[in-house]
Amino acid sequence: MRRKEFAVAELEEIEQFLSEVSFGFLGMNSEDGFPRVVPLNFAYGNGVFYIHGSRAGEKMERMKEDNRVTFSAAKEYALIPSYFTDEHMACPATSFFKSITVRGHAEHVVDLEEKASAFSIFMSKLQPEGGYDTIDASDSRYASRLKGVALIKIVPEEWTAKFKFGQNVKEQERQKIIDGLQQRGLDDDLTTIEMMRKYCPHHSV
């Protein structure tokens, strides 16, 4: 699914998802030809992904050499055991999840106002309860720190989104999964049921 094919509602759902997850995986090209994948925190805003770190290091060097990157973020909502729908066969076992992957290029951010905006997004995810002074580039306490930290923005050129909640499962099997989730009652099981109803509205579940 390319971004140009998303409906407005789908874009809003993707942005909502990206505001809820704070961890992703950055893929880069490396000198030896092997892909380099780095797990890290990220923030999404203004249509781009932000990552940060020290000015020195392999990650920054790799992106200087080749700024083509991929970035993925995902959240698993529930493991679906086979016995929810089949008493004998292992084949139905699966998981329900949301995932986003983008391909694009990385750019160093030097503008302090944009840095302040990006780190404000980071803080709203990592410390939503507040408890800190607003990050402002004109605040001398923040200005030196904003200058010292390296901030990269990933500008997406291609998007892929997958929200898997049993859309291809027959209605009778879907009801068995819902019954199993309700009986199990783990932290995200009720949320998973809500997602199943949201993304399969044509099914009477």
Side-chain angles (χ1 to χ4, degrees), residues 7-139:
V8 173
E10 291 172 322
L11 282 174
E12 290 175 351
E13 288 185 29
I14 287 170
E15 290 177 351
Q16 177 63 34
F17 169 65
L18 291 174
S19 72
E20 295 170 355
V21 293
S22 60
F23 211 74
F25 297 86
L26 174 68
M28 301 170 288
N29 295 312
S30 62
E31 288 181 325
D32 60 9
F34 283 89
R36 177 86 165 94
V37 178
V38 180
L40 39 68
N41 292 115
F42 76 95
Y44 176 80
N46 307 314
V48 300
F49 293 80
Y50 291 106
I51 61 174
H52 67 91
S54 63
R55 293 183 177 277
E58 182 184 3
K59 179 173 59 185
M60 299 302 173
E61 290 301 319
R62 291 269 50 80
M63 286 185 287
K64 286 180 182 178
E65 294 292 328
D66 189 341
N67 73 343
R68 295 173 299 170
V69 297
T70 60
F71 187 81
S72 295
K75 178 181 178 181
E76 184 177 71
Y77 283 76
L79 294 174
I80 309 300
S82 61
Y83 53 77
F84 275 5
T85 56
D86 193 308
E87 295 180 0
H88 305 286
M89 298 296 291
C91 305
T94 187
S95 65
F96 288 170
F97 63 88
K98 292 182 181 181
S99 68
I100 302 292
T101 299
V102 299
R103 297 174 66 182
H105 63 276
E107 299 178 3
H108 281 269
V109 178
V110 296
D111 180 78
L112 294 188
E113 293 290 345
E114 184 173 2
K115 280 189 171 184
S117 174
F119 283 111
S120 294
I121 300 172
F122 271 107
M123 289 302 294
S124 68
K125 295 174 72 171
L126 300 177
Q127 194 171 311
E129 71 276 15
Y132 58 91
D133 292 340
T134 301
I135 301 174
D136 188 336
S138 64
D139 186 330

